[in-house]
């Protein structure tokens, strides 16, 4: 069975928010739209976004790591948000594991958002229905798009390619390999939601320098010694020994 | 909501897809715009574009909200008779009226004293056109943002290696193994840099970031080296010290491709002291290049020889005496002596970086450069005719930007960095620094300003470029008394190498009428009443100030902008520009193209939407104005209109009649068969359109490296008129250009002499070798009172001040905090999130603080230009930008406190005039509990300008006029 | 969580309705086995049921304010297999129907005796309907309680105590109201209800207090470390990625001080349990309907506070992601 998902590589995410606004622009005019904004030009502007990028600091100066952390619906394999929905508006597709909301059925009771530990569902305060990441379901199957663009908007946008997209159930997929080989992990594993989206941790490249790499025979400084050969006629031991 | 639940179905409507070039920032990515029923439905990165390869950024993806922003200006406006400037009371007028006003006024100025017209442009990308206009008008008073931006980066590197970071070159991260990024937050090359860094990391490269703050790019560095602001010079010099001490430099490279081995006159009594010893017996052609008639001291024969003598191998170190008794030393010896004092221990005390770390950094650089050499099987021929089987490279790459540039010691710091890169042998080689066309240029480049007031004449084009690259003191643009000719005092003894002008001093100088009063100040695309001016509060008053006769001290101000910025309030005349989606535009080889390492690239914008309201592309406005003023470039012999419009101008304009050089390099020649040079091609626009709006010429592999010395490349560049000469461009470890200025200051040179009060300043700062000094502002500050450094940096999701009108982006940054290390809070009794004051010797600002472990504890910082003046940008008066957002510029002065060099010296680098944004010293303390919880200072709210849009309480953007979904 | 007033009123109002119905029905059951005299079917059983129905309807109306799209509320019945909310949506109208039927039958005296036991106890039709109603009432309590108790990562709620509390607190408020109601319509039942009310109130206090004690000792399973998957003792959020707030900052947090929370806790303990008990006994002693009614009103206010606190105290793990603007 297919389970489509995103894998987010924290090792290269620079926190640029490209995935945030490209998601917004794609989806506001797509099948999941519009994504409303309140007070767009006033105090406390606030709106519906499917994807947000947060920033954390780990450790203390000077050993601080700054971690940019994008988060959207994780399309859990065992999504607690789905069974609680009284209308069936929230559902998980058998076909590809995408968790979606059917706006025509949703009554806006918010119960599914209570049932999501990750805080990724956002009710639309104007349409009064629950919204969330659709994994760009209206892009990824759109045959009018070139194959290479049948990917979520955020994935296409991401300048660092920190966002990988694919089938985490296919062991040969790029995403599965990344999870396997780069230590991919799930968020809040304690709740057994089995998020399909995974995160790849920071990895560090270090350099080790051996002492003998500093002093070498080919050190260019050696070329700078001026040869001061002493005159041949100056005194030497040769003038005063008899052995 | 009929078909919403069909999750996969696209809403119906008629779709169109068009390519153009983004301009949500100066990176200029290729974009693909999908329209539904004529409205923007989706803006994505163009996958076929060489720059961004399909990706986009947060700003680029928010173009829709810029296009439909209520803050857009849509009508020409005139300040209402009898109202005060700054009160922002305007009445709409027609374009005809607007042109008449400008024509009458400017015609008179041109006929009398053209320098009374000043044209200054901000974060634009059309300096080729605006510069042409100014030159044709005959005013020297023209500059773009470079002077307050990063001219230190441009000059420091171009005067050393003939090219620079910024838009002219960059790190080759495809092949580098070690990457050191210094003082960069986002930079112009936003998307390409991100693409490159992530690929670099994935390929196992090691990434080190030197920055007082760990944000953005630095976040993903393998190692963060926190440094105290303004002290990078000390770090770099100590690294050079260690590299030389350990012999970790590329000797071969230094000998062949730099002036390291060239002999410098050390006879203090001589007027040629500090200059290279030149062979008088060699014939040298005159020109803008560096004649090779210099000497080495040969190791093998132990005597002086001409540089590059076959079989000779020069000493880099030592001291020698020429036959005529002149003591000489190789330039490298002088460098070694210079850095003797700059030990890692010394630097540790200044930079806050442990000496051990500095040493290790030096070793990492030196060892990776030496031991991980790259050898590419690419045969090439050097400019001296020698064939090489391979191209080699030392894979240590650097990148740096305003963290170095925006300090008053930045020029020398960047010289030090360029020299470090040269010592490691990384110039235009794989894995190191790579040029982008039209660079490399001669050191310094050929363009020059007029050399005196006689260059400015009524009704005559300027006798030179408004901006240029002085090669010696006689190139300065000063009068007989050594006083400046330009209003910003660029190219004067105060800032001799100010290659980009000093935009940050224009208003102050014009207001003080020093060196002279001007009449009309024309500002295009710059928010000089807010974020691109220092000392914002006072400058706003100057814009409004009147003389004793009740006349404005700056009599007339024209602002061409696309939005209701803070600057528009101070205009007498406002010209509404189009957005990037509505106009033709070029990223020209004459300006700052988007070239790649592998060859020249230029690109265009082609409108995807019609102009909004009465907006008119500023390009069209300039051409119309130029035509009305009968500026020679814009009219025929008989004075009649030469160009129908801007697209026509771009196709048909040639730098000189028949030169074949125009704004666009691609598809020249009658049928588009030529490039770089060729007759105008009437279908040039269509050809760009068909090719993703970009022209990319990939140089043959053998021309792609070592371009400073690559015979094939240099000849190609000369043939295609990128350069005048095909002479080698050797790196200037030792800068004779600087030494000439120093000699002039010492009275040892004929020709132009600095005024007495500036002699010391020139003598000190025009040091031919890099040196470290404390930034000028700090050295004039009481550091016990103001112990902290305050800096800003760019947020990736906002462009300067202009994105606050963007409904999506402003949700990400709607106000800003001052980031401080928690120890400051502990010391001064405030908590995370508290309201505090941050105060410099020039002013104070109330703001909120945010504790952070990712900042050097002696530094405080904030995101740049998030705070706004109340009511500007069509934000409601209670918007967070004006209540909680703040602007650090209030704390930064455009002038230094009076000192030896004078009373009104710019707060800038003494060599280049680069604005010292990041030199300010501050203290912080808690705001009293009874103080209002809003930012200070505050300004009177700006009213909505006529023609701007309605600001709805909520938005539900859905593209497609006829398929709007019911909410 | 952010206490939404619609949900506070929904749960407290139907609680009263459910409790009142249970009380009335308890009264009838006792009289059916002749432990109590039987009452006037119109004035007591009929009106009582209608008042209970009134509360249920009021609760339903309150719930409408919680729904974004109430016109589609009917759809909410479809997922009874998995959703406690859906089950509640079914149980509530079923109960309302039964209560209505129960009331109407009493009003119109449709009360055929189906069966009389040798001891003389009579099985009336209304008793059958009432029993079904009682079952529905318990089912509804179960559903309502489970809506909260089933969200396992809302650890304050994920406990059987949540269901028990919904049951006991609702029943308690209904019995208090029944006592006051009886003082007007069936004075001989006042003591009967008064004693029951007292017992239930004490039981409710014990279980509610138990949940407070339990909640004070919760070890949260989620932490910032598990939330972002980084093992380090010092992690701090510096930005949540947007500054003007979002549904996630509004719906899941009360935005009140800990002090305020403590005050509400004391207030509800006082108003929901102790004050009504005192008023109840004073009212019974003095045989004063006004005071008995006051006992109910005070208790109801206490329950509103209790419900506010119930929501506010629940710590949603999503808040780990929304700590710093
Ligand atoms: N404290 C502090 N201040 C700084 C800096 C810093 O680091 N710290 N950085 C400095 C630097 S490097 C720079 S480059 C400057 C930038 O400063 P500015 O050049 O002033 O940049 P913006 O604030 O973006 O203002 C540009 C103006 O262009 C307008 N605009 C946008 N799009 C268009 C268009 O299509 N057409 C026209 N006609 N106008 C348009 C905007 O509305 C805005 O008014 O800021 C400087 N100021
Ligand atoms: N998103 C976005 N992109 C932009 C812009 C924008 O406004 N928004 N502006 C564009 C413009 S005009 C410019 S000029 C470029 C500028 O691009 P950058 O040079 O990247 O911009 P700054 O934000 O000035 O960043 C300077 C960095 O230097 C650090 N720094 C400050 N002082 C020192 C120091 O003394 N030493 C060291 N080592 N580091 C220091 C700061 O912490 C910061 O990280 O960006 C361009 N790109
Ligand atoms: S992340 Fe939340 S909304 Fe998405 S599937 Fe999992 S539980 Fe549901
Ligand atoms: S808000 Fe909509 S999707 Fe969520 S539980 Fe309620 S009905 Fe289902
Ligand atoms: S997959 Fe699509 S909907 Fe989900 S976060 Fe990415 S862009 Fe948004
Ligand atoms: S677009 Fe990519 S790099 Fe940028 S914030 Fe999103 S995941 Fe990170
Ligand atoms: S980096 Fe600049 S040019 Fe490129 S997409 Fe972003 S805003 Fe547009
Ligand atoms: Mo800049």
């Amino acid at each position: 069975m297919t389970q489509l998902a995103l894998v987010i590589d924290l090792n290269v995410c620079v926190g640029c928010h490209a995935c945030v606004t490209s998601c917004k622009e794609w989806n506001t005019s797509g099948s999941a739209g519009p994504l409303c904004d309140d007070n767009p030009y006033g105090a406390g502007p606030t709106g519906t976004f499917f994807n947000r990028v947060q920033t954390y600091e780990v450790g203390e100066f000077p050993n601080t790591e700054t971690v940019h952390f994008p988060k959207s619906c994780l399309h859990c394999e065992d999504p607690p948000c789905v069974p609680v929905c009284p209308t069936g508006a929230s559902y998980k597709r058998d076909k590809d594991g995408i968790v979606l909301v059917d706006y025509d059925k949703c009554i806006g009771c918010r119960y599914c958002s209570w049932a999501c530990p990750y805080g990724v569902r956002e009710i639309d305060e104007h349409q009064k229905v629950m919204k969330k990441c659709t994994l760009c379901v209206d892009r990824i199957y759109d045959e009018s798009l070139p194959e290479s663009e049948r990917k979520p908007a955020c994935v296409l946008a991401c300048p660092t390619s920190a966002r990988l997209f694919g089938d985490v159930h296919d062991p040969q997929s790029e995403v599965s390999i990344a999870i396997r080989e780069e230590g991919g992990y799930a968020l809040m594993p304690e709740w057994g939601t089995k998020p399909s989206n995974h995160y790849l941790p920071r990895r560090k490249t270090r350099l080790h320098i051996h002492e003998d790499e500093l002093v070498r025979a080919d050190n260019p400084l050696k070329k700078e010694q001026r040869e001061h050969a002493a005159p041949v006629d100056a005194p030497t031991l040769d003038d005063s020994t008899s052995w | 909501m009929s078909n919403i639940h069909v999750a996969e179905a696209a809403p119906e409507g008629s779709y169109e897809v068009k390519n153009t070039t983004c301009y949500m920032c100066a990176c200029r990515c290729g974009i693909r715009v999908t329209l539904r029923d004529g409205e923007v439905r989706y803006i994505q990165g163009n996958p076929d574009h060489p720059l961004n390869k399909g990706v986009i950024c947060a700003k680029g993806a928010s173009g829709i909200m810029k296009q439909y922003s209520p803050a857009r200006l849509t009508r020409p406006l005139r300040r209402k008779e009898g109202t005060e400037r700054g009160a922002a009371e305007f009445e709409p007028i027609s374009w005809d009226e607007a042109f008449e006003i400008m024509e009458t006024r400017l015609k008179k100025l041109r006929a009398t004293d053209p320098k009374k017209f000043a044209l200054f442009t901000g974060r634009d990308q059309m300096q080729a056109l605006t510069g042409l206009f100014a030159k044709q008008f005959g005013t020297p008073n023209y500059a773009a943002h470079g002077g307050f931006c990063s001219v230190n980066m441009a000059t420091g590197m171009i005067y050393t290696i003939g090219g620079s970071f910024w838009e002219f070159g960059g790190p080759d991260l495809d092949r580098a193994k070690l990457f050191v990024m210094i003082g960069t937050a986002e930079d112009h090359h936003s998307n390409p840099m991100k693409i490159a860094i992530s690929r670099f990391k994935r390929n196992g490269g090691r990434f080190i970031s030197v920055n007082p703050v760990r944000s953005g790019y630095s976040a993903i560095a393998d190692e963060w080296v926190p440094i105290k602001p303004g002290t990078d010079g000390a770090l770099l010099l100590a690294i050079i010290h260690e590299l030389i001490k350990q012999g970790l430099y590329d000797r071969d490279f230094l000998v062949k491709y730099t002036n390291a081995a060239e002999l410098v006159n050390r006879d203090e009594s001589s007027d040629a002291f500090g200059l290279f010893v030149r062979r008088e017996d060699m014939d040298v052609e005159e020109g803008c290049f560096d004649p090779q008639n210099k000497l080495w001291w040969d190791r093998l024969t132990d005597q002086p020889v001409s540089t590059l003598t076959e079989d000779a191998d020069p000493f880099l170190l030592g001291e020698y005496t020429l036959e005529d008794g002149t003591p000489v030393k190789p330039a490298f010896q002088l460098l070694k002596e210079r850095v003797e004092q700059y030990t890692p221990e010394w630097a540790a005390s200044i930079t806050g970086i442990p000496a051990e770390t500095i040493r290790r950094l030096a070793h990492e650089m030196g060892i990776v450069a030496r031991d991980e050499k790259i050898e590419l099987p690419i045969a090439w021929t050097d400019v001296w005719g020698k064939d090489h089987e391979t191209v080699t490279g030392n894979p240590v790459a650097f990148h740096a930007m305003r963290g170095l540039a925006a300090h008053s010691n930045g020029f020398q710091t960047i010289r030090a960095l360029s020299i470090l890169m040269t010592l490691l042998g990384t110039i235009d080689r794989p894995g190191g620094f790579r040029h982008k066309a039209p660079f490399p240029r001669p050191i310094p480049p050929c363009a020059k300003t007029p050399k005196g007031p006689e260059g400015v004449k009524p009704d005559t084009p300027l006798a030179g470029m408004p901006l240029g690259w002085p090669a010696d003191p006689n190139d300065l643009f000063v009068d007989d008394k050594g006083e400046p000719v330009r209003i910003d005092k660029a190219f004067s003894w105060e800032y001799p190498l100010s290659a980009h002008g000093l935009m940050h001093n224009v208003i102050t100088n014009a207001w003080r009428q020093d060196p002279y009063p001007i009449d009309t100040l024309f500002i295009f695309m710059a928010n000089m009443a807010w974020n691109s001016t220092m000392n914002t509060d006072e400058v706003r008053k100057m814009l409004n100030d009147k003389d004793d006769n009740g006349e404005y001290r700056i009599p007339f101000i024209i602002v061409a902008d696309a939005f209701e910025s803070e600057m528009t309030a101070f205009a007498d005349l406002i010209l509404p520009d189009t957005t990037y989606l509505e106009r033709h535009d070029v990223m020209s080889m004459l300006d700052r193209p988007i070239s790649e390492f592998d060859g020249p690239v230029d690109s265009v914008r082609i409108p995807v939407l019609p102009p909004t309201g009465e907006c008119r592309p500023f390009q069209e406005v300039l051409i119309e104005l130029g035509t009305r003023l009968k500026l020679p470039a814009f009219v025929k012999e008989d004075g009649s209109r030469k160009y129908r419009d801007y697209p026509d101008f771009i196709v048909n304009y040639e730098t000189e009649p028949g030169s074949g050089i125009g704004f666009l390099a691609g598809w020249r020649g009658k049928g588009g068969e030529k490039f770089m040079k060729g007759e105008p091609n009437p279908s040039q626009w269509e050809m760009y359109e068909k090719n993703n709006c970009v022209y990319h010429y990939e140089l043959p592999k053998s021309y792609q490296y070592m371009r400073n010395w690559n015979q094939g490349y240099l000849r190609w560049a000369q043939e295609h008129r990128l350069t005048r000469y095909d002479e080698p461009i050797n790196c200037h470890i030792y800068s004779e250009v600087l030494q000439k200025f120093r000699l002039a200051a010492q009275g040892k040179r004929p020709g132009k002499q600095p005024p007495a009060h500036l002699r010391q300043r020139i003598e000190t700062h025009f040091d031919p070798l890099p040196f470290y000094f404390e930034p000028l502002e700090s050295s004039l500050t009481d550091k016990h009172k103001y112990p902290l450094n305050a800096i800003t940096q760019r947020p990736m999701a906002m462009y300067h001040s202009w994105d606050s009108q963007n409904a999506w982006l402003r949700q990400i940054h709607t106000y800003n905090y001052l980031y401080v290390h928690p120890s400051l809070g502990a010391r001064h009794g405030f908590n995370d999130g508290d309201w505090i004051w941050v105060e410099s010797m020039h002013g104070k600002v109330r703001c909120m603080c945010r504790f952070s472990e990712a900042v050097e504890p002696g530094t405080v910082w904030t995101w740049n230009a998030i705070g706004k003046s109340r009511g500007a940008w069509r934000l409601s008066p209670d918007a967070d930008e004006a209540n909680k957002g703040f602007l650090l510029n209030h704390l930064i002065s455009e002038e230094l406190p009076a000192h030896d060099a004078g009373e009104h010296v710019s707060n800038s680098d003494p060599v280049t005039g680069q604005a010292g944004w990041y030199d300010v010293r501050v203290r912080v303390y808690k705001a009293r509990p009874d103080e209002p919880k809003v930012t200070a200072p505050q300004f009177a709210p700006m009213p909505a300008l006529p023609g701007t849009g309605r600001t709805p309480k909520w938005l539900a953007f859905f593209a497609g006029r006829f398929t709007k979904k019911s909410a | 969580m952010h206490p939404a007033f619609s949900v506070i009123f929904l749960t407290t109002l139907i609680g009263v309705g459910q409790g009142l119905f249970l009380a009335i029905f308890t009264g009838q059951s006792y009289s059916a086995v002749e432990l109590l005299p039987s009452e006037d079917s119109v004035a007591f059983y009929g009106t009582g049921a209608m008042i209970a129905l009134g509360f249920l309807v009021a609760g339903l109306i309150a719930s409408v304010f919680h729904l974004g799209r109430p016109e589609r509320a009917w759809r909410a019945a479809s997922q009874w297999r998995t959703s406690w909310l859906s089950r509640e949506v079914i149980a509530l109208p079923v109960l309302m129907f039964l209560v209505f039927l129960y009331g109407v039958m009493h009003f119109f005296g449709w009360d055929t005796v189906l069966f009389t036991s040798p001891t003389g106890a009579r099985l009336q039709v209304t008793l059958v309907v009432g029993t079904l109603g009682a079952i529905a009432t318990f089912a509804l309590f179960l559903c309502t309680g489970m809506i909260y108790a089933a969200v396992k990562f809302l650890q304050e709620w994920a406990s059987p105590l949540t269901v028990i509390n919904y049951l006991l607190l609702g029943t308690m408020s209904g019995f208090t109201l029944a006592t006051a109601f009886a003082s007007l319509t069936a004075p001989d039942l006042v003591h009967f209800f008064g004693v029951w009310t007292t017992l239930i109130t004490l039981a409710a206090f014990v279980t509610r207090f138990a949940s407070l004690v339990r909640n004070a000792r919760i070890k949260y399973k989620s932490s910032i470390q598990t939330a972002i998957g980084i093992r380090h003792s010092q992690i701090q959020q510096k930005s949540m990625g947007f500054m003007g707030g979002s549904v996630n900052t509004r719906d899941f947090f009360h935005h009140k001080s800990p002090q305020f929370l403590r005050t509400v806790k004391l207030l509800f303990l006082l108003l929901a349990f102790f004050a009504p008990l005192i008023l109840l006994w004073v009212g019974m002693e003095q045989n004063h309907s006004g005071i008995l009614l006051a006992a109910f009103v005070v208790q109801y206010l206490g329950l509103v506070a209790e419900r506010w606190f119930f929501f506010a105290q629940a710590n949603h793990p999503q808040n780990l992601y929304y700590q710093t603007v």
Side-chain angles (χ1 to χ4, degrees), chain C residues 18 83 123 175 216:
Chain C
Q18 286 167 269
S83 170
L123 180 61
F175 270 76

Side-chain angles (χ1 to χ4, degrees), chain B residues 581-658:
Chain B
L581 297 177
E582 300 171 345
R583 64 178 179 242
H584 285 94
D585 220 341
V586 298
M587 322 316 132
S588 166
M589 213 49 71
L590 306 181
D591 191 346
R592 293 163 182 230
I594 54 164
S595 297
E596 297 279 320
F597 297 149
D598 64 14
V601 188
D602 68 8
S603 63
V604 301
R605 278 186 196 101
I606 295 182
V608 302
L609 290 167
T612 299
E614 291 173 33
C615 289
R616 213 178 262 201
F618 184 64
Q619 291 88 335
E620 301 286 3
V621 172
L622 272 192
I623 287 179
E624 174 68 27
L625 198 56
T627 309
R628 287 179 180 234
L629 293 171
K630 305 208 189 310
L631 305 186
F634 300 102
V635 290
K636 298 190 187 134
E637 297 279 296
D638 63 358
S640 66
R641 171 180 295 272
K642 192 160 170 192
Y643 302 107
R644 192 179 59 241
D645 53 13
Y646 178 71
D648 184 42
F649 168 82
I650 289 300
V651 167
N652 291 308
Y653 172 81
E654 290 175 278
T655 51
E656 277 154 51

Side-chain angles (χ1 to χ4, degrees), chain B residues 123 145-146 148-150 166 188 401-402 794 799-800:
Chain B
R123 241 327 341 169
H145 64 278
F148 59 52
C149 182
S150 316
W166 206 353
H188 299 283
M401 258 307 275
R402 296 186 63 256
R794 275 115 179 85
Y799 202 64
H800 295 291

Side-chain angles (χ1 to χ4, degrees), chain A residues 9-49 52 57 59-68 91 93 95-96 100-105 126-127 129 137-139 141-142 146 149 152-164 200 202-207 209-210 212-216 218-227, chain B residues 1-2 4-9 11 32 36 40-44 47 54-59 61-62 64-65 68-70 191 194-195 198 201-202 204-206 214-217 219-224 226 244-249 251 297 299 302 313 315-317 319-320 360 363-364 367-368 370-371 796-797 805 807-812 814 821 851-857 874-876 878-880 951-959 965-967:
Chain A
D9 189 350
L10 299 181
N11 194 38
V12 294
C13 172
V14 291
C16 71
H17 291 259
C19 50
V20 174
T21 60
S22 58
C23 169
K24 176 95 172 181
E25 67 154 353
W26 173 259
N27 286 296
T28 193
S29 293
S31 66
L35 270 54
C36 301
D37 299 290
D38 280 87
N39 311 328
Y41 307 105
T46 171
T48 307
F49 282 79
R52 313 258 191 185
E57 281 175 10
E60 276 176 27
F61 181 89
N63 302 311
T64 320
E65 293 283 335
T66 303
V67 178
H68 298 294
Y91 63 107
R93 313 211 307 179
K95 171 179 165 188
D96 51 18
L100 289 175
V101 180
D102 180 339
Y103 294 177
D104 283 353
K105 287 190 188 155
H126 297 279
Q127 266 190 322
V129 291
V137 67
D138 54 351
R139 281 194 71 82
Y141 295 108
D142 184 349
E149 287 180 36
C154 58
V155 173
L156 291 177
C158 177
T160 64
S161 320
R163 307 175 74 86
L164 312 177
L200 306 181
R202 284 276 167 82
R203 284 95 71 198
K204 293 230 176 229
T205 306
R206 292 192 173 79
L207 194 75
I209 296 176
H210 296 284
D212 55 7
E213 286 172 321
L214 283 177
V215 245
R216 297 200 332 178
D218 60 355
N219 192 315
L221 284 171
K222 296 195 175 155
K223 290 203 174 166
E224 303 301 341
Q225 276 129 29
R226 215 168 156 192
E227 269 119 72
Chain B
M1 296 217 306
S2 52
I4 266 182
H5 63 276
V6 186
E8 289 175 29
R32 188 162 283 177
R36 181 193 292 141
V40 187
R41 185 263 177 270
Y42 186 47
I43 302 176
Q44 68 188 114
V55 308
I56 196 163
C57 80
K59 297 160 281 143
S62 304
I64 297 175
M65 287 296 117
Y68 303 115
S69 164
N191 278 332
K194 292 183 192 105
I195 297 172
S198 79
K201 283 198 57 156
R202 288 201 165 113
R206 175 162 159 78
R214 184 165 204 171
S215 63
Y217 299 147
I220 62 167
D222 294 302
E223 180 174 348
W224 172 44
I244 296 182
K245 184 173 152 204
Q246 299 290 351
L248 286 170
Y249 50 86
R251 188 176 198 282
W297 198 279
R299 285 174 64 221
D302 201 13
D313 185 13
F315 276 116
L316 287 178
L317 296 177
E319 45 191 299
Y320 312 92
R360 181 173 47 76
H363 299 168
E364 286 198 20
I367 287 171
V368 172
R370 183 193 63 198
D371 294 352
M796 291 186 174
Q805 40 73 30
W808 296 343
L809 294 174
R810 74 180 284 263
Q811 292 186 50
I812 299 171
T814 182
H821 190 264
F851 286 177
S852 168
E853 294 286 349
V855 57
E856 187 277 316
R874 257 341 234 114
L875 298 180
S876 69
D878 64 345
D880 306 299
T951 51
K953 283 232 111 18
W954 61 284
L955 271 183
F957 182 80
F958 195 91
K965 288 184 185 181
S966 57

Side-chain angles (χ1 to χ4, degrees), chain A residues 60 84 103 110-111 119 190, chain C residues 72 83 147 222 234 251 322:
Chain A
E60 276 176 27
V84 302
Y103 294 177
R110 302 169 191 239
Y111 193 30
E190 59 273 20
Chain C
R72 301 179 183 156
S83 170
I147 287 176
S222 292
Q234 192 171 349
D251 264 15
Y322 303 100

Side-chain angles (χ1 to χ4, degrees), chain B residues 402 527 531-532 561 577 583 792 794 800-802 889 918:
Chain B
R402 296 186 63 256
N527 198 0
N531 61 297
S532 53
D561 205 300
D577 198 1
R583 64 178 179 242
T792 61
R794 275 115 179 85
H800 295 291
S801 67
W802 82 36
N889 300 41
Y918 297 164

